[in-house]
Amino acid sequence: QRQMCIRDRRTSNNTTLQPNEDAPYNLMGGTPNARAHLAAINAVESGGPSKHIKLVGGELVPELLNMSIQQVYDMAYSGPIGTGTTPSGKRVNYGASSHAAGAYQFHPDTMMEAARYAGIPLSTKFTYRTQQLLALAWAKKLGANLDDGPTYENYRILGSSGGWEGVGKMTYQEYVNSFNNYRQNACLLYTSPS
């Protein structure tokens, strides 16, 4: 018998994630380590069942997933600091002046830079998968190697001022523990008959 790491590829563009869609084994990233890093970042940035439609401060905006990257950026700067307007005209409130949005709480300027770095067109919908691709690209741009485990260097880079504030507020040991917790679930094991 042989064990293989497989991924369940059920995805949605809905405001409600499919069962296990946000499980570490379903996240983007070419290795279980990369998926565990994404899960650990997300857990401290926005977490919870509606993380992918959350603005900084906690307001949920289901329309976020139907908006393009450019529209998410435009929404952040469409009103006074701390507020914005969706393409449909709904007024939203950010809990801080950062105007961060989504599962990885991207500041609008950082989101745009990550999209350019990854070659993701700004017309791309801000789906849960797109948010993951942006996070992978941003981590790479910062110099992190997410295929490695929770090295101190990865922790330092991901929690730096250009990285994710939530990671920066964790101790190294807390990050290692979070990573290891998610790493255990970063793939589904399938035992093939011999």
Side-chain angles (χ1 to χ4, degrees), residues 19 74-75 86-87 93 107 127 147 150 162:
D74 293 344
M75 176 180 71
T86 67
N93 293 302
H107 180 278
T127 64
D147 292 333

Side-chain angles (χ1 to χ4, degrees), residues 22-38:
D22 61 344
Y25 59 80
N26 271 330
L27 298 178
M28 301 297 286
T31 65
N33 281 348
R35 294 190 288 275
H37 279 293
L38 285 182

